[in-house]
Amino acid sequence: MDANERLRAAQSALTERGARDVKFFFAPEAGCKLPSEVKEDLVTVLEACINGRVVDQQSFADELPRR
Amino acid sequence: MELQARYLLDALYEARNLQHLYDLNFRVPDGPAKSIEALKQLCRQQVAREIRFKDILLPDHYAIKGVCTKYDDHYEIGTLQSLNRCWKRFVTCKELFHVLLDDPEFENLDLGAHFEQSVLDTPNVDGTHAPSAQCELIAEYGAIEFMFPFKDRIKLAAQGVNSQSVAETYLIPRIYVERYLSVSYMDFFEAVHKTYRIGEQG
């Protein structure tokens, strides 16, 4: 599948799971890549999320004591 | 990209509100770097839906560093696991601002359209930009105001500081230090603060 087909498949998968909105962090270097390359990156990241290639985020070592 | 002023002001005031809550609730050590764990706690208190934080098991060379997905009963924020400390802090903070600034007006599950509007900066036929695209930039502005506030940037810009040193002090990516200390960005935010009379926080 090309990136557009993969993106549509990702959108369908998210919709089926009840997603209402998705926002992305596009790094500044996205401006130095071809749009097609950025789209490939986007679908790869989305597919990782959809296919469970995630773990709980590790805590940041910066916890502050409460007053 | 042309922004609606109310979106920008919402982001700046949200950042200031968070700063106030941060100061009230936590014993803040010397040094300006914000605690992202503290920010996560504050956001969980502010928001009705559960917020889940995930590491995405991919290397950090992808142009997409994070994702925020809204469901009916929760948000899920994913950041690339391999990001360095500063990047992971900033990406998490920016995605949290999507949660804090969430509004049905910003919802857009048409990923192809959102991609083109955000990455290619494609305007509508009338020259305006979709709210869902504007809010990508707005969330960044909110995150910067929280992690690298304008009142600090004014002082630093006047001193002519080393951007690497500032990045290490604030624990944010160096590229954002350079961007937000640039003459054009300083002029922009100075004009915003003057036009909308955003005063110093008490």
Side-chain angles (χ1 to χ4, degrees), chain B residues 150-165:
Chain B
F150 182 65
K151 63 179 177 62
D152 291 11
R153 303 202 302 271
I154 290 175
K155 294 174 192 167
L156 291 167
Q159 294 167 22
V161 293
N162 175 276
S163 61
Q164 178 64 27
S165 170

PDB file of all heavy atoms in Angstrom, chain B residues 150-165:
ATOM      1  N   PHE B 150       7.719  34.299  28.013  1.00  0.00           N
ATOM      2  CA  PHE B 150       8.118  35.527  27.319  1.00  0.00           C
ATOM      3  C   PHE B 150       8.875  36.463  28.256  1.00  0.00           C
ATOM      4  O   PHE B 150       9.844  37.112  27.845  1.00  0.00           O
ATOM      5  CB  PHE B 150       6.886  36.221  26.726  1.00  0.00           C
ATOM      6  CG  PHE B 150       7.213  37.467  25.953  1.00  0.00           C
ATOM      7  CD1 PHE B 150       7.952  37.406  24.789  1.00  0.00           C
ATOM      8  CD2 PHE B 150       6.771  38.711  26.393  1.00  0.00           C
ATOM      9  CE1 PHE B 150       8.268  38.555  24.066  1.00  0.00           C
ATOM     10  CE2 PHE B 150       7.066  39.858  25.672  1.00  0.00           C
ATOM     11  CZ  PHE B 150       7.821  39.786  24.514  1.00  0.00           C
ATOM     12  N   LYS B 151       8.455  36.519  29.525  1.00  0.00           N
ATOM     13  CA  LYS B 151       9.131  37.442  30.448  1.00  0.00           C
ATOM     14  C   LYS B 151      10.596  37.047  30.638  1.00  0.00           C
ATOM     15  O   LYS B 151      11.455  37.895  30.856  1.00  0.00           O
ATOM     16  CB  LYS B 151       8.403  37.501  31.798  1.00  0.00           C
ATOM     17  CG  LYS B 151       8.362  36.202  32.587  1.00  0.00           C
ATOM     18  CD  LYS B 151       7.629  36.418  33.916  1.00  0.00           C
ATOM     19  CE  LYS B 151       7.498  35.116  34.712  1.00  0.00           C
ATOM     20  NZ  LYS B 151       8.767  34.533  35.102  1.00  0.00           N
ATOM     21  N   ASP B 152      10.908  35.767  30.541  1.00  0.00           N
ATOM     22  CA  ASP B 152      12.303  35.315  30.601  1.00  0.00           C
ATOM     23  C   ASP B 152      13.020  35.614  29.284  1.00  0.00           C
ATOM     24  O   ASP B 152      14.195  36.008  29.274  1.00  0.00           O
ATOM     25  CB  ASP B 152      12.382  33.799  30.847  1.00  0.00           C
ATOM     26  CG  ASP B 152      11.917  33.400  32.240  1.00  0.00           C
ATOM     27  OD1 ASP B 152      11.334  34.264  32.958  1.00  0.00           O
ATOM     28  OD2 ASP B 152      12.108  32.232  32.616  1.00  0.00           O
ATOM     29  N   ARG B 153      12.310  35.418  28.190  1.00  0.00           N
ATOM     30  CA  ARG B 153      12.927  35.623  26.866  1.00  0.00           C
ATOM     31  C   ARG B 153      13.332  37.090  26.682  1.00  0.00           C
ATOM     32  O   ARG B 153      14.366  37.389  26.066  1.00  0.00           O
ATOM     33  CB  ARG B 153      11.992  35.185  25.741  1.00  0.00           C
ATOM     34  CG  ARG B 153      11.552  33.727  25.859  1.00  0.00           C
ATOM     35  CD  ARG B 153      11.093  33.108  24.557  1.00  0.00           C
ATOM     36  NE  ARG B 153       9.995  33.758  23.892  1.00  0.00           N
ATOM     37  CZ  ARG B 153       8.716  33.483  24.103  1.00  0.00           C
ATOM     38  NH1 ARG B 153       8.362  32.606  25.017  1.00  0.00           N
ATOM     39  NH2 ARG B 153       7.769  34.102  23.400  1.00  0.00           N
ATOM     40  N   ILE B 154      12.529  37.999  27.222  1.00  0.00           N
ATOM     41  CA  ILE B 154      12.879  39.422  27.109  1.00  0.00           C
ATOM     42  C   ILE B 154      14.239  39.667  27.744  1.00  0.00           C
ATOM     43  O   ILE B 154      15.112  40.332  27.156  1.00  0.00           O
ATOM     44  CB  ILE B 154      11.814  40.293  27.810  1.00  0.00           C
ATOM     45  CG1 ILE B 154      10.514  40.266  27.037  1.00  0.00           C
ATOM     46  CG2 ILE B 154      12.297  41.727  27.955  1.00  0.00           C
ATOM     47  CD1 ILE B 154       9.387  41.003  27.739  1.00  0.00           C
ATOM     48  N   LYS B 155      14.434  39.134  28.934  1.00  0.00           N
ATOM     49  CA  LYS B 155      15.700  39.363  29.651  1.00  0.00           C
ATOM     50  C   LYS B 155      16.856  38.696  28.914  1.00  0.00           C
ATOM     51  O   LYS B 155      17.939  39.261  28.782  1.00  0.00           O
ATOM     52  CB  LYS B 155      15.604  38.810  31.072  1.00  0.00           C
ATOM     53  CG  LYS B 155      14.601  39.536  31.952  1.00  0.00           C
ATOM     54  CD  LYS B 155      14.442  38.846  33.309  1.00  0.00           C
ATOM     55  CE  LYS B 155      13.249  39.404  34.054  1.00  0.00           C
ATOM     56  NZ  LYS B 155      12.872  38.571  35.218  1.00  0.00           N
ATOM     57  N   LEU B 156      16.634  37.492  28.429  1.00  0.00           N
ATOM     58  CA  LEU B 156      17.705  36.758  27.759  1.00  0.00           C
ATOM     59  C   LEU B 156      18.067  37.410  26.426  1.00  0.00           C
ATOM     60  O   LEU B 156      19.238  37.495  26.072  1.00  0.00           O
ATOM     61  CB  LEU B 156      17.278  35.303  27.527  1.00  0.00           C
ATOM     62  CG  LEU B 156      17.160  34.455  28.801  1.00  0.00           C
ATOM     63  CD1 LEU B 156      16.447  33.148  28.504  1.00  0.00           C
ATOM     64  CD2 LEU B 156      18.537  34.182  29.397  1.00  0.00           C
ATOM     65  N   ALA B 157      17.064  37.859  25.702  1.00  0.00           N
ATOM     66  CA  ALA B 157      17.331  38.489  24.406  1.00  0.00           C
ATOM     67  C   ALA B 157      18.171  39.744  24.594  1.00  0.00           C
ATOM     68  O   ALA B 157      19.046  40.043  23.781  1.00  0.00           O
ATOM     69  CB  ALA B 157      16.021  38.815  23.699  1.00  0.00           C
ATOM     70  N   ALA B 158      17.922  40.460  25.687  1.00  0.00           N
ATOM     71  CA  ALA B 158      18.686  41.686  25.942  1.00  0.00           C
ATOM     72  C   ALA B 158      20.132  41.371  26.283  1.00  0.00           C
ATOM     73  O   ALA B 158      21.030  42.181  26.040  1.00  0.00           O
ATOM     74  CB  ALA B 158      18.034  42.467  27.077  1.00  0.00           C
ATOM     75  N   GLN B 159      20.386  40.180  26.833  1.00  0.00           N
ATOM     76  CA  GLN B 159      21.740  39.820  27.249  1.00  0.00           C
ATOM     77  C   GLN B 159      22.560  39.248  26.107  1.00  0.00           C
ATOM     78  O   GLN B 159      23.779  39.215  26.172  1.00  0.00           O
ATOM     79  CB  GLN B 159      21.686  38.763  28.366  1.00  0.00           C
ATOM     80  CG  GLN B 159      21.087  39.245  29.667  1.00  0.00           C
ATOM     81  CD  GLN B 159      20.782  38.088  30.608  1.00  0.00           C
ATOM     82  OE1 GLN B 159      21.358  37.000  30.485  1.00  0.00           O
ATOM     83  NE2 GLN B 159      19.880  38.310  31.532  1.00  0.00           N
ATOM     84  N   GLY B 160      21.906  38.736  25.083  1.00  0.00           N
ATOM     85  CA  GLY B 160      22.654  38.080  24.002  1.00  0.00           C
ATOM     86  C   GLY B 160      23.304  36.801  24.470  1.00  0.00           C
ATOM     87  O   GLY B 160      24.527  36.695  24.512  1.00  0.00           O
ATOM     88  N   VAL B 161      22.522  35.824  24.833  1.00  0.00           N
ATOM     89  CA  VAL B 161      23.027  34.596  25.445  1.00  0.00           C
ATOM     90  C   VAL B 161      23.312  33.514  24.424  1.00  0.00           C
ATOM     91  O   VAL B 161      22.904  33.573  23.273  1.00  0.00           O
ATOM     92  CB  VAL B 161      22.021  34.075  26.481  1.00  0.00           C
ATOM     93  CG1 VAL B 161      21.927  35.022  27.656  1.00  0.00           C
ATOM     94  CG2 VAL B 161      20.671  33.869  25.840  1.00  0.00           C
ATOM     95  N   ASN B 162      24.026  32.492  24.891  1.00  0.00           N
ATOM     96  CA  ASN B 162      24.333  31.314  24.091  1.00  0.00           C
ATOM     97  C   ASN B 162      23.127  30.373  24.090  1.00  0.00           C
ATOM     98  O   ASN B 162      22.637  29.993  25.160  1.00  0.00           O
ATOM     99  CB  ASN B 162      25.560  30.625  24.695  1.00  0.00           C
ATOM    100  CG  ASN B 162      25.881  29.331  24.004  1.00  0.00           C
ATOM    101  OD1 ASN B 162      25.311  28.289  24.320  1.00  0.00           O
ATOM    102  ND2 ASN B 162      26.772  29.386  23.040  1.00  0.00           N
ATOM    103  N   SER B 163      22.649  30.009  22.926  1.00  0.00           N
ATOM    104  CA  SER B 163      21.403  29.236  22.853  1.00  0.00           C
ATOM    105  C   SER B 163      21.553  27.836  23.440  1.00  0.00           C
ATOM    106  O   SER B 163      20.613  27.293  24.023  1.00  0.00           O
ATOM    107  CB  SER B 163      20.904  29.159  21.411  1.00  0.00           C
ATOM    108  OG  SER B 163      21.856  28.518  20.586  1.00  0.00           O
ATOM    109  N   GLN B 164      22.740  27.250  23.317  1.00  0.00           N
ATOM    110  CA  GLN B 164      22.944  25.925  23.888  1.00  0.00           C
ATOM    111  C   GLN B 164      22.842  25.988  25.410  1.00  0.00           C
ATOM    112  O   GLN B 164      22.216  25.135  26.048  1.00  0.00           O
ATOM    113  CB  GLN B 164      24.311  25.371  23.472  1.00  0.00           C
ATOM    114  CG  GLN B 164      24.646  24.005  24.059  1.00  0.00           C
ATOM    115  CD  GLN B 164      23.715  22.900  23.591  1.00  0.00           C
ATOM    116  OE1 GLN B 164      23.141  22.973  22.510  1.00  0.00           O
ATOM    117  NE2 GLN B 164      23.555  21.874  24.408  1.00  0.00           N
ATOM    118  N   SER B 165      23.445  27.005  25.978  1.00  0.00           N
ATOM    119  CA  SER B 165      23.407  27.188  27.428  1.00  0.00           C
ATOM    120  C   SER B 165      21.979  27.384  27.911  1.00  0.00           C
ATOM    121  O   SER B 165      21.553  26.812  28.925  1.00  0.00           O
ATOM    122  CB  SER B 165      24.285  28.387  27.795  1.00  0.00           C
ATOM    123  OG  SER B 165      24.110  28.733  29.140  1.00  0.00           O
TER     124      SER B 165
END
